[in-house]
Amino acid sequence: MTNIGLPRGVQDIMPEEVDIWQFIEETAREIFESYNYKEIRTPIFEFTELFVKGTGDTTDIVIKEMYTFLDKKGRSLTLRPEGTPGVVRAYLMNKIYSNNIPWKVYYIGPMFRYERPQAGRYRQFHQLGIEVLGIKDPIADFEIIKIALDFLQRLKLSNLEIDINSLGCIKCRPYYKEALKEYFFSVQEELSEIDKDRLKRNPLRLLDSKDENIIKLKEKAPQSLDYLCEECKEHFEKVKNYLDMDNINYKVNPKLVRGLDYYTRTVFEISTNLLGAQNAIVGGGRYDNLVETYGGPSIPGLGFAIGMERLIILLSKLGINLKNKDKKLIYFLIPEDKYLKTAIDLSQYLIEKKFKINIGNPNTSLKNQLKIANKIGADYVFFVDSITNENKIKIKNLSTGEEKIIPLNELSLELETMI
Ligand code: AMP
């Protein structure tokens, strides 16, 4: 056993568990691509500034959760804590906006946050996300919520709650922030030092505090919906109308703010009551000023991210039945080297026929090879030496123990019964 171990909050995804990961990833790709989104793969680390400017220097993520380090030339780099900033940077660097058409992309990959690990919360975790750049209209808000829901429903998840809210835009939000500031100043003796600091930097951040006291104080705090300008009101009404039109149930939750600074107008979360404290599976919203924040043109954007680990916990709780995607495994017993070529040629044919193959080691005894075939769960063994002798092959079904000798010219027919 190694005495090195693993840092807190990270974990191996072992081969026994990987089926469910692949199943979720394949399902996501299928759904996202059927809505005409293309995959993008951005780097795992970026300049720290990207997250400070984008995710926001008043967020918990930037203030205390980033894995930041200096490289050998003294440049500050950060392991990405979330996917959106990298995607927007790629959009800008590649001047995609000059095409003047909406850009729709998705990503799948690891993210890093120095959080307190607990069930459903890790320091390296994985997100599936989509981003849309270049659509200002509420149809895009509706579309991304619908895609998230389609995906979760494809995984047969029910008991989902969709919460939506609108945070307003750069025109109306300052009034809301002012009202929040006033309210929290009036109760400031009840705030901790950290929360007083939050209040100074960005009063919105108090609303995503998990502190019991703040949660109580939040009850009476002003709500963004009461401060929306006409355009924001109309936008939010339309998002709701589209959701109604598609019979999607949602709850307007005026307390939902999400922990990132760049959100404007619509924010949403999808959660389940089956996960305990870490119950949010999807989080997303609109970010109409982020491209500009990075020095680009005024282009609206929006997106969501889904936590893979939480999905997996949920699916395991619900006892998801992965359809048996496993191909049958054929193990070749090789008595000595001279049979190897025949086995290799035949294995090529079997791979084309959608079998998995494992070639035995001619340097060990047949008895030992058979033992390994059983241990690794092979479905069949092929006795390769029988081929050269009689142009027939002996096949043993390891689950029934049945043995057959098949003329090679009938093998393809036999394979059909073995799949
Ligand atoms: P966010 O990027 O914070 O909007 O989070 C989007 C989703 O990612 C959440 O709803 C969770 O499902 C997941 N998530 C966020 N942080 C973590 C974490 N530390 N560990 C596991 N999943 C996470």
Side-chain angles (χ1 to χ4, degrees), residues 9 11 55 61 65 81-84 107 111-128 258-260 262-263 268-271 275 278-285 304-311 313:
Q11 51 191 350
T55 311
I61 295 181
E65 294 171 2
E82 55 137 344
T84 307
Y107 59 82
M111 306 292 160
F112 306 84
R113 295 184 196 170
Y114 193 81
E115 293 196 85
R116 199 163 48 80
Q118 52 182 284
R121 198 199 277 161
Y122 311 94
R123 290 183 172 170
Q124 174 174 329
F125 60 99
H126 297 76
Q127 286 186 333
L128 305 152
R258 316 260 322 116
L260 312 171
Y262 49 63
Y263 284 126
F268 74 99
E269 233 168 54
I270 304 182
S271 50
L275 275 183
Q278 306 303 319
N279 60 4
I281 317 172
V282 186
F304 66 68
I306 303 181
M308 282 279 277
E309 282 80 357
R310 290 191 197 169
L311 264 187
I313 297 173

Short mmCIF file of all heavy atoms in Angstrom, two decimals, residues 9 11 55 61 65 81-84 107 111-128 258-260 262-263 268-271 275 278-285 304-311 313, ligand 1:
data_model
loop_
_atom_site.label_atom_id
_atom_site.label_comp_id
_atom_site.label_asym_id
_atom_site.label_seq_id
_atom_site.Cartn_x
_atom_site.Cartn_y
_atom_site.Cartn_z
N GLY A 9 -10.77 15.99 -0.63
CA GLY A 9 -11.72 16.53 -1.59
C GLY A 9 -11.52 16.10 -3.03
O GLY A 9 -12.18 16.61 -3.92
N GLN A 11 -10.97 12.53 -5.64
CA GLN A 11 -11.18 11.09 -5.61
C GLN A 11 -10.89 10.44 -6.96
O GLN A 11 -10.94 11.10 -8.00
CB GLN A 11 -12.62 10.79 -5.19
CG GLN A 11 -13.66 11.54 -5.99
CD GLN A 11 -15.06 11.44 -5.40
OE1 GLN A 11 -15.29 10.66 -4.49
NE2 GLN A 11 -15.99 12.20 -5.94
N THR A 55 -15.72 35.83 -12.83
CA THR A 55 -16.47 35.21 -11.73
C THR A 55 -16.74 36.26 -10.66
O THR A 55 -17.82 36.30 -10.06
CB THR A 55 -15.66 34.03 -11.13
OG1 THR A 55 -15.22 33.22 -12.21
CG2 THR A 55 -16.49 33.22 -10.17
N ILE A 61 -15.93 32.17 -4.35
CA ILE A 61 -15.03 31.40 -5.23
C ILE A 61 -13.70 32.12 -5.38
O ILE A 61 -12.64 31.54 -5.17
CB ILE A 61 -15.67 31.18 -6.63
CG1 ILE A 61 -16.91 30.30 -6.52
CG2 ILE A 61 -14.66 30.58 -7.61
CD1 ILE A 61 -17.59 29.99 -7.84
N GLU A 65 -11.69 30.37 -2.63
CA GLU A 65 -11.75 28.97 -3.07
C GLU A 65 -10.86 28.62 -4.26
O GLU A 65 -10.89 27.50 -4.74
CB GLU A 65 -13.21 28.62 -3.41
CG GLU A 65 -14.11 28.63 -2.20
CD GLU A 65 -15.58 28.50 -2.55
OE1 GLU A 65 -15.92 28.35 -3.74
OE2 GLU A 65 -16.39 28.56 -1.61
N PRO A 81 -12.15 27.30 -11.62
CA PRO A 81 -13.17 26.94 -10.65
C PRO A 81 -14.54 26.75 -11.31
O PRO A 81 -15.48 26.23 -10.70
CB PRO A 81 -13.21 28.13 -9.69
CG PRO A 81 -12.74 29.29 -10.53
CD PRO A 81 -11.83 28.75 -11.59
N GLU A 82 -14.67 27.21 -12.55
CA GLU A 82 -15.94 27.09 -13.28
C GLU A 82 -15.64 27.28 -14.77
O GLU A 82 -14.56 27.77 -15.14
CB GLU A 82 -16.95 28.13 -12.78
CG GLU A 82 -16.43 29.56 -12.83
CD GLU A 82 -17.47 30.53 -13.35
OE1 GLU A 82 -18.47 30.10 -13.94
OE2 GLU A 82 -17.25 31.74 -13.21
N GLY A 83 -16.61 26.90 -15.62
CA GLY A 83 -16.33 26.83 -17.05
C GLY A 83 -16.57 28.10 -17.85
O GLY A 83 -15.95 28.32 -18.90
N THR A 84 -17.47 28.95 -17.38
CA THR A 84 -17.91 30.08 -18.21
C THR A 84 -16.77 31.04 -18.61
O THR A 84 -16.65 31.39 -19.79
CB THR A 84 -19.04 30.86 -17.50
OG1 THR A 84 -20.06 29.91 -17.17
CG2 THR A 84 -19.63 31.94 -18.39
N TYR A 107 -19.50 21.97 -22.62
CA TYR A 107 -18.22 21.44 -22.13
C TYR A 107 -18.47 20.39 -21.06
O TYR A 107 -19.54 20.35 -20.45
CB TYR A 107 -17.33 22.57 -21.55
CG TYR A 107 -17.98 23.32 -20.41
CD1 TYR A 107 -17.95 22.83 -19.11
CD2 TYR A 107 -18.66 24.52 -20.64
CE1 TYR A 107 -18.57 23.51 -18.06
CE2 TYR A 107 -19.28 25.20 -19.61
CZ TYR A 107 -19.24 24.69 -18.32
OH TYR A 107 -19.85 25.36 -17.29
N MET A 111 -13.45 20.80 -12.49
CA MET A 111 -13.34 22.16 -11.95
C MET A 111 -12.74 22.02 -10.55
O MET A 111 -12.82 20.95 -9.94
CB MET A 111 -14.73 22.82 -11.82
CG MET A 111 -15.55 22.81 -13.10
SD MET A 111 -14.85 23.87 -14.36
CE MET A 111 -15.62 23.19 -15.83
N PHE A 112 -12.20 23.12 -10.03
CA PHE A 112 -11.45 23.04 -8.77
C PHE A 112 -11.85 24.18 -7.84
O PHE A 112 -11.77 25.35 -8.24
CB PHE A 112 -9.95 23.11 -9.06
CG PHE A 112 -9.52 22.08 -10.07
CD1 PHE A 112 -9.64 22.32 -11.43
CD2 PHE A 112 -9.03 20.85 -9.65
CE1 PHE A 112 -9.28 21.35 -12.37
CE2 PHE A 112 -8.66 19.88 -10.57
CZ PHE A 112 -8.79 20.13 -11.94
N ARG A 113 -12.29 23.82 -6.65
CA ARG A 113 -12.60 24.86 -5.66
C ARG A 113 -12.16 24.38 -4.28
O ARG A 113 -12.46 23.23 -3.91
CB ARG A 113 -14.11 25.16 -5.61
CG ARG A 113 -14.63 25.76 -6.89
CD ARG A 113 -16.11 26.13 -6.78
NE ARG A 113 -16.66 26.34 -8.12
CZ ARG A 113 -17.93 26.49 -8.40
NH1 ARG A 113 -18.82 26.50 -7.43
NH2 ARG A 113 -18.34 26.66 -9.65
N TYR A 114 -11.50 25.28 -3.56
CA TYR A 114 -11.04 24.93 -2.23
C TYR A 114 -12.21 25.13 -1.27
O TYR A 114 -12.32 26.13 -0.58
CB TYR A 114 -9.85 25.81 -1.85
CG TYR A 114 -9.12 25.31 -0.63
CD1 TYR A 114 -8.20 24.28 -0.73
CD2 TYR A 114 -9.36 25.86 0.63
CE1 TYR A 114 -7.53 23.81 0.39
CE2 TYR A 114 -8.70 25.41 1.75
CZ TYR A 114 -7.79 24.38 1.62
OH TYR A 114 -7.13 23.92 2.73
N GLU A 115 -13.13 24.13 -1.26
CA GLU A 115 -14.30 24.20 -0.39
C GLU A 115 -14.15 23.17 0.71
O GLU A 115 -13.30 22.29 0.64
CB GLU A 115 -15.57 23.89 -1.20
CG GLU A 115 -15.90 24.94 -2.22
CD GLU A 115 -17.33 24.79 -2.72
OE1 GLU A 115 -18.23 25.32 -2.07
OE2 GLU A 115 -17.52 24.15 -3.77
N ARG A 116 -15.03 23.24 1.70
CA ARG A 116 -15.01 22.23 2.76
C ARG A 116 -15.67 20.96 2.22
O ARG A 116 -16.86 20.96 1.92
CB ARG A 116 -15.76 22.73 4.00
CG ARG A 116 -15.41 21.97 5.27
CD ARG A 116 -15.85 22.76 6.49
NE ARG A 116 -17.23 23.26 6.37
CZ ARG A 116 -18.30 22.51 6.58
NH1 ARG A 116 -18.19 21.26 6.95
NH2 ARG A 116 -19.51 23.03 6.44
N PRO A 117 -14.87 19.88 2.04
CA PRO A 117 -15.46 18.69 1.42
C PRO A 117 -16.54 18.06 2.28
O PRO A 117 -16.43 18.06 3.49
CB PRO A 117 -14.27 17.73 1.27
CG PRO A 117 -13.06 18.57 1.42
CD PRO A 117 -13.44 19.70 2.32
N GLN A 118 -17.57 17.61 1.66
CA GLN A 118 -18.64 16.85 2.32
C GLN A 118 -19.39 16.10 1.23
O GLN A 118 -19.04 16.24 0.06
CB GLN A 118 -19.57 17.78 3.10
CG GLN A 118 -20.12 18.92 2.26
CD GLN A 118 -20.99 19.85 3.05
OE1 GLN A 118 -22.12 19.52 3.34
NE2 GLN A 118 -20.45 21.01 3.44
N ALA A 119 -20.42 15.31 1.63
CA ALA A 119 -21.13 14.55 0.60
C ALA A 119 -21.64 15.52 -0.47
O ALA A 119 -22.30 16.50 -0.15
CB ALA A 119 -22.29 13.81 1.24
N GLY A 120 -21.30 15.26 -1.72
CA GLY A 120 -21.78 16.11 -2.82
C GLY A 120 -20.99 17.39 -2.99
O GLY A 120 -21.33 18.22 -3.83
N ARG A 121 -19.93 17.57 -2.19
CA ARG A 121 -19.09 18.76 -2.39
C ARG A 121 -17.62 18.36 -2.32
O ARG A 121 -17.17 17.80 -1.32
CB ARG A 121 -19.40 19.81 -1.35
CG ARG A 121 -18.87 21.16 -1.82
CD ARG A 121 -18.72 22.13 -0.71
NE ARG A 121 -19.95 22.82 -0.39
CZ ARG A 121 -20.14 23.44 0.79
NH1 ARG A 121 -19.20 23.41 1.70
NH2 ARG A 121 -21.25 24.05 1.03
N TYR A 122 -16.91 18.63 -3.39
CA TYR A 122 -15.53 18.17 -3.52
C TYR A 122 -14.64 19.33 -3.95
O TYR A 122 -15.12 20.39 -4.32
CB TYR A 122 -15.44 17.02 -4.53
CG TYR A 122 -16.46 15.97 -4.26
CD1 TYR A 122 -17.70 15.98 -4.90
CD2 TYR A 122 -16.22 14.99 -3.30
CE1 TYR A 122 -18.67 15.04 -4.60
CE2 TYR A 122 -17.18 14.04 -3.00
CZ TYR A 122 -18.41 14.08 -3.65
OH TYR A 122 -19.37 13.16 -3.34
N ARG A 123 -13.33 19.08 -3.88
CA ARG A 123 -12.39 20.13 -4.32
C ARG A 123 -12.05 19.98 -5.79
O ARG A 123 -11.79 20.95 -6.47
CB ARG A 123 -11.16 20.09 -3.43
CG ARG A 123 -11.53 20.58 -2.04
CD ARG A 123 -10.37 20.66 -1.10
NE ARG A 123 -10.82 21.31 0.13
CZ ARG A 123 -10.10 21.37 1.24
NH1 ARG A 123 -8.89 20.83 1.28
NH2 ARG A 123 -10.57 21.97 2.30
N GLN A 124 -12.03 18.75 -6.27
CA GLN A 124 -12.06 18.56 -7.73
C GLN A 124 -13.40 17.91 -8.03
O GLN A 124 -13.70 16.84 -7.50
CB GLN A 124 -10.94 17.66 -8.23
CG GLN A 124 -11.12 17.37 -9.73
CD GLN A 124 -9.99 16.59 -10.38
OE1 GLN A 124 -8.85 16.69 -9.99
NE2 GLN A 124 -10.33 15.82 -11.39
N PHE A 125 -14.20 18.58 -8.81
CA PHE A 125 -15.49 18.02 -9.19
C PHE A 125 -15.66 18.24 -10.69
O PHE A 125 -14.83 18.87 -11.32
CB PHE A 125 -16.63 18.65 -8.37
CG PHE A 125 -16.74 20.14 -8.55
CD1 PHE A 125 -17.68 20.68 -9.41
CD2 PHE A 125 -15.89 21.00 -7.88
CE1 PHE A 125 -17.78 22.06 -9.59
CE2 PHE A 125 -15.97 22.38 -8.05
CZ PHE A 125 -16.92 22.91 -8.91
N HIS A 126 -16.73 17.69 -11.23
CA HIS A 126 -16.89 17.75 -12.68
C HIS A 126 -18.20 18.42 -13.06
O HIS A 126 -19.22 18.19 -12.41
CB HIS A 126 -16.83 16.33 -13.28
CG HIS A 126 -15.51 15.67 -13.05
ND1 HIS A 126 -15.15 15.17 -11.83
CD2 HIS A 126 -14.47 15.48 -13.87
CE1 HIS A 126 -13.92 14.68 -11.91
NE2 HIS A 126 -13.48 14.85 -13.15
N GLN A 127 -18.12 19.23 -14.07
CA GLN A 127 -19.35 19.88 -14.53
C GLN A 127 -19.58 19.61 -16.01
O GLN A 127 -18.64 19.52 -16.80
CB GLN A 127 -19.25 21.40 -14.33
CG GLN A 127 -19.39 21.82 -12.87
CD GLN A 127 -19.44 23.33 -12.71
OE1 GLN A 127 -18.91 24.07 -13.52
NE2 GLN A 127 -20.06 23.79 -11.64
N LEU A 128 -20.88 19.53 -16.33
CA LEU A 128 -21.33 19.53 -17.72
C LEU A 128 -22.01 20.87 -17.88
O LEU A 128 -22.85 21.23 -17.05
CB LEU A 128 -22.42 18.49 -17.93
CG LEU A 128 -22.19 17.05 -17.56
CD1 LEU A 128 -23.52 16.40 -17.21
CD2 LEU A 128 -21.60 16.36 -18.77
N ARG A 258 -27.61 33.15 -6.73
CA ARG A 258 -26.45 32.43 -7.26
C ARG A 258 -25.14 33.13 -6.88
O ARG A 258 -25.09 34.33 -6.77
CB ARG A 258 -26.51 32.26 -8.79
CG ARG A 258 -27.84 31.83 -9.32
CD ARG A 258 -27.95 30.37 -9.63
NE ARG A 258 -26.76 29.81 -10.19
CZ ARG A 258 -26.04 28.88 -9.58
NH1 ARG A 258 -26.40 28.41 -8.41
NH2 ARG A 258 -24.97 28.40 -10.12
N GLY A 259 -24.11 32.33 -6.69
CA GLY A 259 -22.89 32.87 -6.09
C GLY A 259 -21.86 33.50 -7.03
O GLY A 259 -20.71 33.58 -6.69
N LEU A 260 -22.27 33.89 -8.23
CA LEU A 260 -21.30 34.49 -9.15
C LEU A 260 -21.71 35.93 -9.46
O LEU A 260 -22.89 36.23 -9.54
CB LEU A 260 -21.25 33.67 -10.46
CG LEU A 260 -21.11 32.15 -10.26
CD1 LEU A 260 -21.30 31.42 -11.57
CD2 LEU A 260 -19.75 31.82 -9.69
N TYR A 262 -21.35 37.78 -12.20
CA TYR A 262 -21.67 38.28 -13.54
C TYR A 262 -23.13 38.12 -13.97
O TYR A 262 -23.51 38.57 -15.02
CB TYR A 262 -20.75 37.64 -14.60
CG TYR A 262 -20.61 36.13 -14.56
CD1 TYR A 262 -21.69 35.29 -14.77
CD2 TYR A 262 -19.36 35.56 -14.32
CE1 TYR A 262 -21.52 33.92 -14.76
CE2 TYR A 262 -19.19 34.18 -14.31
CZ TYR A 262 -20.28 33.36 -14.53
OH TYR A 262 -20.12 32.01 -14.51
N TYR A 263 -23.95 37.47 -13.14
CA TYR A 263 -25.31 37.23 -13.60
C TYR A 263 -26.13 38.51 -13.72
O TYR A 263 -26.03 39.42 -12.91
CB TYR A 263 -26.03 36.26 -12.66
CG TYR A 263 -25.60 34.83 -12.87
CD1 TYR A 263 -25.15 34.07 -11.80
CD2 TYR A 263 -25.64 34.24 -14.13
CE1 TYR A 263 -24.74 32.75 -11.99
CE2 TYR A 263 -25.24 32.94 -14.33
CZ TYR A 263 -24.78 32.20 -13.26
OH TYR A 263 -24.39 30.91 -13.46
N PHE A 268 -31.32 30.69 -12.57
CA PHE A 268 -32.15 29.53 -12.21
C PHE A 268 -31.33 28.43 -11.59
O PHE A 268 -30.10 28.38 -11.72
CB PHE A 268 -32.93 29.01 -13.43
CG PHE A 268 -32.08 28.25 -14.43
CD1 PHE A 268 -32.06 26.85 -14.42
CD2 PHE A 268 -31.32 28.91 -15.37
CE1 PHE A 268 -31.29 26.14 -15.33
CE2 PHE A 268 -30.54 28.21 -16.28
CZ PHE A 268 -30.54 26.82 -16.27
N GLU A 269 -32.04 27.57 -10.88
CA GLU A 269 -31.40 26.42 -10.25
C GLU A 269 -32.37 25.26 -10.35
O GLU A 269 -33.58 25.45 -10.27
CB GLU A 269 -31.16 26.74 -8.76
CG GLU A 269 -29.73 26.52 -8.33
CD GLU A 269 -29.42 27.09 -6.96
OE1 GLU A 269 -30.15 26.76 -6.00
OE2 GLU A 269 -28.45 27.86 -6.87
N ILE A 270 -31.83 24.07 -10.56
CA ILE A 270 -32.69 22.87 -10.50
C ILE A 270 -32.17 22.03 -9.35
O ILE A 270 -30.97 21.75 -9.25
CB ILE A 270 -32.67 22.09 -11.83
CG1 ILE A 270 -33.07 23.00 -12.99
CG2 ILE A 270 -33.61 20.88 -11.74
CD1 ILE A 270 -33.14 22.33 -14.35
N SER A 271 -33.07 21.66 -8.45
CA SER A 271 -32.62 20.90 -7.28
C SER A 271 -33.55 19.72 -7.04
O SER A 271 -34.60 19.59 -7.68
CB SER A 271 -32.56 21.81 -6.07
OG SER A 271 -33.76 22.51 -5.96
N LEU A 275 -31.19 14.88 -2.05
CA LEU A 275 -29.74 14.98 -1.86
C LEU A 275 -29.30 15.59 -0.54
O LEU A 275 -28.11 15.76 -0.32
CB LEU A 275 -29.12 15.79 -3.01
CG LEU A 275 -28.76 15.04 -4.28
CD1 LEU A 275 -28.09 15.98 -5.27
CD2 LEU A 275 -27.84 13.86 -4.02
N GLN A 278 -26.62 19.50 0.00
CA GLN A 278 -26.09 19.91 -1.31
C GLN A 278 -27.09 19.49 -2.38
O GLN A 278 -26.87 18.55 -3.13
CB GLN A 278 -24.72 19.27 -1.56
CG GLN A 278 -23.71 19.51 -0.47
CD GLN A 278 -23.49 21.00 -0.21
OE1 GLN A 278 -23.43 21.79 -1.15
NE2 GLN A 278 -23.41 21.38 1.03
N ASN A 279 -28.22 20.19 -2.45
CA ASN A 279 -29.31 19.65 -3.26
C ASN A 279 -29.42 20.25 -4.66
O ASN A 279 -30.24 19.82 -5.46
CB ASN A 279 -30.65 19.78 -2.52
CG ASN A 279 -30.96 21.23 -2.19
OD1 ASN A 279 -30.21 22.11 -2.59
ND2 ASN A 279 -32.05 21.46 -1.51
N ALA A 280 -28.59 21.27 -4.96
CA ALA A 280 -28.69 21.87 -6.29
C ALA A 280 -27.89 21.02 -7.28
O ALA A 280 -26.73 20.72 -7.06
CB ALA A 280 -28.15 23.29 -6.28
N ILE A 281 -28.56 20.67 -8.38
CA ILE A 281 -27.85 19.88 -9.39
C ILE A 281 -27.42 20.78 -10.54
O ILE A 281 -26.35 20.60 -11.11
CB ILE A 281 -28.74 18.76 -9.98
CG1 ILE A 281 -29.54 18.07 -8.89
CG2 ILE A 281 -27.92 17.74 -10.72
CD1 ILE A 281 -30.56 17.12 -9.47
N VAL A 282 -28.29 21.73 -10.88
CA VAL A 282 -27.99 22.61 -12.01
C VAL A 282 -28.05 24.07 -11.53
O VAL A 282 -28.94 24.42 -10.75
CB VAL A 282 -29.05 22.47 -13.13
CG1 VAL A 282 -28.65 23.29 -14.37
CG2 VAL A 282 -29.27 21.02 -13.51
N GLY A 283 -27.13 24.88 -12.01
CA GLY A 283 -27.21 26.31 -11.70
C GLY A 283 -26.84 27.08 -12.95
O GLY A 283 -25.92 26.70 -13.68
N GLY A 284 -27.57 28.15 -13.21
CA GLY A 284 -27.22 28.91 -14.41
C GLY A 284 -27.91 30.25 -14.47
O GLY A 284 -28.61 30.65 -13.54
N GLY A 285 -27.69 30.92 -15.57
CA GLY A 285 -28.33 32.21 -15.75
C GLY A 285 -27.70 33.00 -16.88
O GLY A 285 -26.86 32.50 -17.62
N PHE A 304 -25.54 27.27 -18.23
CA PHE A 304 -25.73 26.58 -16.95
C PHE A 304 -24.62 25.57 -16.76
O PHE A 304 -23.91 25.21 -17.72
CB PHE A 304 -27.10 25.90 -16.86
CG PHE A 304 -27.31 24.75 -17.83
CD1 PHE A 304 -26.59 23.56 -17.72
CD2 PHE A 304 -28.24 24.85 -18.86
CE1 PHE A 304 -26.79 22.51 -18.60
CE2 PHE A 304 -28.45 23.81 -19.75
CZ PHE A 304 -27.72 22.64 -19.61
N ALA A 305 -24.47 25.11 -15.52
CA ALA A 305 -23.53 24.02 -15.24
C ALA A 305 -24.24 22.99 -14.35
O ALA A 305 -25.02 23.35 -13.47
CB ALA A 305 -22.29 24.55 -14.53
N ILE A 306 -23.95 21.73 -14.65
CA ILE A 306 -24.54 20.62 -13.90
C ILE A 306 -23.43 19.89 -13.17
O ILE A 306 -22.38 19.62 -13.74
CB ILE A 306 -25.22 19.62 -14.87
CG1 ILE A 306 -26.27 20.35 -15.72
CG2 ILE A 306 -25.83 18.45 -14.12
CD1 ILE A 306 -27.00 19.46 -16.70
N GLY A 307 -23.63 19.59 -11.91
CA GLY A 307 -22.61 18.87 -11.14
C GLY A 307 -22.71 17.37 -11.36
O GLY A 307 -23.71 16.75 -11.02
N MET A 308 -21.66 16.81 -11.94
CA MET A 308 -21.67 15.36 -12.26
C MET A 308 -21.76 14.49 -11.01
O MET A 308 -22.51 13.52 -10.98
CB MET A 308 -20.36 14.98 -12.97
CG MET A 308 -20.27 15.36 -14.41
SD MET A 308 -21.11 14.19 -15.47
CE MET A 308 -19.91 12.92 -15.66
N GLU A 309 -20.93 14.82 -10.00
CA GLU A 309 -20.90 13.96 -8.81
C GLU A 309 -22.27 13.90 -8.15
O GLU A 309 -22.70 12.84 -7.71
CB GLU A 309 -19.86 14.48 -7.80
CG GLU A 309 -18.42 14.15 -8.15
CD GLU A 309 -17.81 15.07 -9.19
OE1 GLU A 309 -18.52 15.96 -9.70
OE2 GLU A 309 -16.61 14.91 -9.50
N ARG A 310 -22.95 15.06 -8.12
CA ARG A 310 -24.28 15.06 -7.49
C ARG A 310 -25.26 14.22 -8.28
O ARG A 310 -26.10 13.51 -7.73
CB ARG A 310 -24.80 16.49 -7.34
CG ARG A 310 -23.98 17.19 -6.30
CD ARG A 310 -24.54 18.51 -5.87
NE ARG A 310 -23.48 19.24 -5.19
CZ ARG A 310 -23.52 20.50 -4.86
NH1 ARG A 310 -24.61 21.19 -5.13
NH2 ARG A 310 -22.50 21.07 -4.26
N LEU A 311 -25.13 14.30 -9.61
CA LEU A 311 -26.00 13.47 -10.45
C LEU A 311 -25.77 12.00 -10.17
O LEU A 311 -26.72 11.21 -10.08
CB LEU A 311 -25.63 13.69 -11.92
CG LEU A 311 -26.41 14.69 -12.73
CD1 LEU A 311 -25.97 14.61 -14.17
CD2 LEU A 311 -27.89 14.42 -12.61
N ILE A 313 -24.53 10.58 -7.42
CA ILE A 313 -25.07 10.21 -6.11
C ILE A 313 -26.57 9.96 -6.24
O ILE A 313 -27.13 8.98 -5.76
CB ILE A 313 -24.81 11.32 -5.05
CG1 ILE A 313 -23.30 11.50 -4.85
CG2 ILE A 313 -25.50 10.99 -3.73
CD1 ILE A 313 -22.93 12.68 -3.96
P1 AMP B 1 -21.95 26.75 -9.85
O1 AMP B 1 -20.81 26.61 -10.84
O2 AMP B 1 -21.48 27.15 -8.48
O3 AMP B 1 -23.08 27.55 -10.39
O4 AMP B 1 -22.51 25.26 -9.62
C1 AMP B 1 -23.21 24.53 -10.59
C2 AMP B 1 -23.36 23.11 -10.12
O5 AMP B 1 -22.08 22.51 -9.98
C3 AMP B 1 -23.98 22.97 -8.73
O6 AMP B 1 -25.38 22.97 -8.81
C4 AMP B 1 -23.45 21.63 -8.28
O7 AMP B 1 -24.22 20.59 -8.82
C5 AMP B 1 -22.08 21.59 -8.88
N1 AMP B 1 -21.03 21.98 -7.91
C6 AMP B 1 -20.61 23.23 -7.58
N2 AMP B 1 -19.62 23.18 -6.67
C7 AMP B 1 -19.39 21.88 -6.41
C8 AMP B 1 -18.47 21.16 -5.57
N3 AMP B 1 -17.57 21.78 -4.81
N4 AMP B 1 -18.53 19.80 -5.56
C9 AMP B 1 -19.42 19.15 -6.33
N5 AMP B 1 -20.31 19.76 -7.15
C10 AMP B 1 -20.29 21.10 -7.20
#
